[in-house]
Amino acid sequence: MKAKIPETINIRPGVSILSVLRHLNYKPWFALAEFVDNSLQSFLDHRKELDRTEGKKVRLIVNIEFDPTDAGQLTIRDNAAGIHQSDYARAFRPAELPPDTEGLSEFGMGMKSAACWFAPQWTVRTSALGEKLERTVSFNIEKIVQDKIEELTVDARLAPEKTHFTEIKLYNLHKAPQGRTLSKIKEHLASIYRSFIREGLLELKFDEEVLAYVEPKVLFAPYYKDPPLAQAKDWRKEVAFDFGLGMRAHGFAALRETGSTSGAGFSLFRRGRLIQGSADEGYRPEYVFGKSNSFTYQRLFGELQLEGFEVSHTKDGFRWDEHEEVFLEFLRESLNEKRLPLLSQAEGYRARPKLDELRHGATVAAGRTAEVIEREVPPVIEEQLTSIPDAGEPPKALPLAEMATTREIELELDGSQWLIVLELTDDPGVGDWVSISDRPLTDKTGIRRLGVRLSLAHPFMLRFGGVEPGRIEPLLRVAVAICLAEITARDSGVKSASTIRRNINQLLGTALSQP
C-alpha cells in the first residue's frame, strides 16, 4: 500500500514569528551553521542506513554556494538522509522541538530562523533515504504573514528510493555577504566544524572550495627560567575538571609557537560543535589572559568540550548564569600547575627571531636608516661641529611638565644613597627627547637625586614609539642608559659630558625623525 502523499503542510502556530526572525542577532557564519547542523544531525541519525546504501566510507558533504548577482542567492546542499515524511511537518513548523533534543538540532528553530534572517523567500527541496518521493516547499514570508497563511503546498514527484539529499535556496538576500565577510565566513565555518572535519566525517565546501582548519603550531622550548641549553618541551597539556551539577570541561590548552593577537584564545565546544571562540574571536577572559597587550593574550590557545551547559538559541554562546566565574577559577588553576605552567611560560618566554627573519629585518632597517642619514643628517652634524661643545651642568631639578607616569627607584651606589626619578611626559611643550637633572648629595638628606625624563610627545617617539609597552620600553631603556652614562662620565672627570646627550636630542628631533 502506497503512503499517502501530503498536498500541504501545516505551519501553525507561530506564523507571525517568521517576520521578526530577520532581526535576530546572528552573524552570517552562525546563521549558515544552522543548516550545517541539520545536515550533520540527519547524517548521524541515519548513519547505519547510509553505510548500507553508500558503503562504510561514506561521509557527509555540505556545499554552500553564493551567487552575488541581482539581490544575491545562497544555496546549501547536502548528501545526508533528507527530511523524511514523518518529520516533514515538524521541520517547517516554528518552535516545534525535535523528538531528540540532545543533538545538534535542539530548538526546532534553526533552519527557519536562519533562512528568515538571510532572505524573505526560500525553498527546501529534499529526497529522504528509503522514500520514493522528492518534495519541495516554498516560503514567501511577506505573503505568509500578510495573508495569515497557515498551510503551504508541497510539490511532490517520484524519485529513486536510494536518492538522499536536501537543497535549500535563499533568494533576494536581506544583506548579501561580500569582500572580507566572505573570507570570514569560510574561516569561521572551518573553525566551528573542525572536530567533524578532523574525523573525516564532514567535507564542508564554500563555492566548491573545501574548507580546512589550520592547526596552530605548539611552542617547543625550554621553560623561560631554565638555562638556555635546558631540555625543550611541548607546551601543550590535557585539561579536565568537574565542578558538580553535571558540569564538566575537558580538552587541551597550549601555547602558540608564534604569538597572534587574532589567533589565540580558547574554542569552547558542545557535542563536538564549536559554540564560542571561532576563528579570530577566541574566548579570552581577562581573568585568565590578562589585558589585550599581554603575551598570554597572544600565545595561549586551546579547545575545551563543555558538558552540562545551556547555549543561546542562536548557538553562538554559552548561557553561563553564575557559573562562569567558577569555570574560570578551575581553568586558571589547571593552566598554571607546576608540572607545565602555561601562564608563567606565556608571560616570561621570549622567542628568538629566526636567522632569516632577523637578516631580512636588519636589511630593511639598515636601508631605511641609510636613506635618512644620507638625506637629513649632514646639515645637523655641520651645525653641531661648529657649536659650543659644553652645554653646562644639568639642572638640579627639571622644569614642571604634564606627566604620563612617574616611578622612583632607590639605590645604594658606592656607599651613597641615590634616588632616581623616572618621568614619562606627554607634554608637547617638552622639546628634548631625553632630559636629566642632578641634585648632588646634601648634608640635610644625604641622598643624591637624579631625574630622567623621556618625552612621549617628541617627534621621534611619535614616529617609532607607539602606545604599546613593548615598543616604548626599549626606547626608554636606551634613554636611561644615555643619562646614567653621562652622570657616571661626569663623576669620573669627563669634561663636556652633556654634549653627547644634547647632540642626540638634536639629531632625533630633526633628521632621524624623518620618514
Side-chain angles (χ1 to χ4, degrees):
M1 181 177 178
K2 292 185 178 180
K4 184 179 179 182
I5 300 175
E7 296 181 352
T8 61
I9 55 168
N10 191 306
I11 59 171
R12 72 170 186 268
V15 169
S16 59
I17 200 175
L18 295 174
S19 63
V20 300
L21 292 176
R22 66 168 294 189
H23 303 294
L24 285 172
N25 189 28
Y26 266 129
K27 291 181 178 177
W29 40 91
F30 278 114
L32 285 169
E34 297 283 13
F35 303 113
V36 183
D37 282 350
N38 285 350
S39 298
L40 266 167
Q41 196 59 55
S42 170
F43 184 84
L44 295 171
D45 287 343
H46 299 275
R47 183 71 182 274
K48 290 182 180 179
E49 300 97 301
L50 289 166
D51 283 347
R52 285 195 297 267
T53 303
E54 303 292 347
K56 290 196 174 182
K57 291 186 178 181
V58 64
R59 61 176 170 173
L60 174 65
I61 299 175
V62 180
N63 192 19
I64 302 168
E65 298 172 355
F66 172 58
D67 181 354
T69 58
D70 298 326
Q73 175 180 302
L74 276 166
T75 302
I76 303 96
R77 186 181 298 106
D78 70 40
N79 67 336
I83 304 174
H84 287 75
Q85 182 181 356
S86 57
D87 296 322
Y88 209 76
R90 178 192 56 76
F92 298 103
R93 189 178 299 130
E96 183 80 9
L97 293 178
D100 179 11
T101 59
E102 296 299 315
L104 298 175
S105 305
E106 59 187 296
F107 298 115
M109 284 295 292
M111 179 179 70
K112 282 86 73 175
S113 59
C116 291
W117 185 82
F118 267 119
Q121 295 172 284
W122 44 283
T123 63
V124 179
R125 186 170 66 92
T126 185
S127 181
L129 181 63
E131 297 182 1
K132 298 180 179 180
L133 289 175
E134 176 189 297
R135 299 180 177 89
T136 303
V137 63
S138 299
F139 276 72
N140 183 323
I141 304 304
E142 183 179 357
K143 184 174 178 60
I144 289 171
V145 174
Q146 271 187 0
D147 298 345
K148 298 181 181 179
I149 296 172
E150 295 184 342
E151 289 189 339
L152 296 178
T153 301
V154 178
D155 293 327
R157 67 185 184 89
L158 292 175
E161 191 174 351
K162 291 185 177 181
T163 303
H164 52 94
F165 70 88
T166 297
E167 179 187 75
I168 301 170
K169 287 185 176 289
L170 312 170
Y171 304 96
N172 303 318
L173 304 180
H174 293 305
K175 188 176 181 180
Q178 54 187 323
R180 175 61 181 148
T181 301
L182 288 170
S183 299
K184 286 176 71 68
I185 286 172
K186 297 175 186 179
E187 291 169 13
H188 281 270
L189 286 176
S191 181
I192 291 169
Y193 294 101
R194 69 183 80 166
S195 296
F196 300 101
I197 293 172
R198 281 185 194 131
E199 291 176 27
L201 188 72
L202 169 66
E203 182 178 287
L204 184 56
K205 301 179 181 180
F206 195 99
D207 285 339
E208 293 301 327
E209 175 188 345
V210 178
L211 304 185
Y213 175 73
V214 179
E215 307 281 349
K217 290 185 178 179
V218 175
L219 176 66
F220 182 72
Y223 185 42
Y224 82 100
K225 287 185 178 180
D226 291 344
L229 297 179
Q231 184 176 3
K233 60 186 79 174
D234 273 316
W235 287 90
R236 183 188 190 279
K237 69 192 318 185
E238 298 303 307
V239 175
F241 45 87
D242 186 329
F243 37 100
L245 302 175
M247 291 181 287
R248 292 176 290 276
H250 61 91
F252 76 89
L255 300 182
R256 294 176 60 96
E257 181 182 79
T258 304
S260 170
T261 54
S262 61
F266 278 101
S267 300
L268 306 182
F269 294 76
R270 191 184 69 150
R271 301 170 185 172
R273 190 261 213 199
L274 185 145
I275 300 295
Q276 192 168 344
S278 61
D280 59 352
E281 297 179 349
Y283 176 69
R284 288 189 274 199
E286 188 175 315
Y287 182 74
V288 174
F289 286 80
K291 301 290 185 182
S292 59
N293 57 3
S294 73
F295 290 102
T296 303
Y297 192 90
Q298 301 174 40
R299 281 200 185 272
L300 181 61
F301 77 103
E303 297 180 5
L304 295 176
Q305 298 282 346
L306 272 59
E307 300 174 18
F309 288 89
E310 298 297 323
V311 299
S312 65
H313 69 281
T314 49
K315 290 184 280 188
D316 57 0
F318 282 92
R319 291 167 53 189
W320 293 103
D321 297 326
E322 73 278 9
H323 303 301
E324 185 173 19
E325 187 175 333
V326 180
F327 167 74
L328 294 177
E329 289 279 359
F330 275 96
L331 178 58
R332 183 171 173 172
E333 184 179 344
S334 299
L335 293 175
N336 224 30
E337 289 173 338
K338 289 184 179 180
R339 181 177 58 85
L340 199 70
L342 294 179
L343 298 182
S344 298
Q345 176 74 349
E347 281 302 305
Y349 176 76
R350 298 293 180 271
R352 291 185 178 182
K354 295 179 181 178
L355 184 58
D356 56 344
E357 294 175 349
L358 186 63
R359 288 175 174 172
H360 172 73
T363 301
V364 173
R368 291 175 181 171
T369 304
E371 291 175 5
V372 170
I373 292 173
E374 184 179 7
R375 187 178 70 244
E376 305 287 348
V377 168
V380 181
I381 296 293
E382 289 172 6
E383 180 185 342
Q384 291 178 351
L385 290 173
T386 58
S387 63
I388 300 172
D390 191 358
E393 299 289 323
K396 293 183 178 181
L398 290 166
L400 292 176
E402 290 290 331
M403 290 299 131
T405 188
T406 61
R407 289 291 186 275
E408 294 187 355
I409 307 103
E410 295 181 2
L411 300 173
E412 184 175 339
L413 297 173
D414 197 23
S416 301
Q417 295 295 318
W418 283 37
L419 176 66
I420 301 176
V421 181
L422 201 58
E423 300 179 351
L424 282 79
T425 177
D426 53 4
D427 189 337
V430 177
D432 287 340
W433 178 63
V434 64
S435 313
I436 64 171
S437 64
D438 184 12
R439 183 183 296 170
L441 291 169
T442 65
D443 295 335
K444 190 172 183 181
T445 64
I447 299 176
R448 184 173 184 177
R449 184 184 178 93
L450 174 67
V452 178
R453 176 181 291 171
L454 178 69
S455 173
L456 300 175
H458 189 271
F460 184 75
M461 294 300 291
L462 293 176
R463 178 159 184 80
F464 298 107
V467 297
E468 298 175 0
R471 295 181 65 181
I472 296 174
E473 184 180 349
L475 296 175
L476 174 60
R477 292 190 182 201
V478 171
V480 170
I482 291 169
C483 294
L484 293 179
E486 178 182 326
I487 292 296
T488 54
R490 182 180 290 105
D491 288 355
S492 300
V494 175
K495 295 182 179 180
S496 304
S498 63
T499 302
I500 291 177
R501 173 173 50 85
R502 182 200 66 185
N503 289 348
I504 287 173
N505 279 329
Q506 186 179 12
L507 281 163
L508 294 182
T510 54
L512 296 180
S513 293
Q514 301 303 312

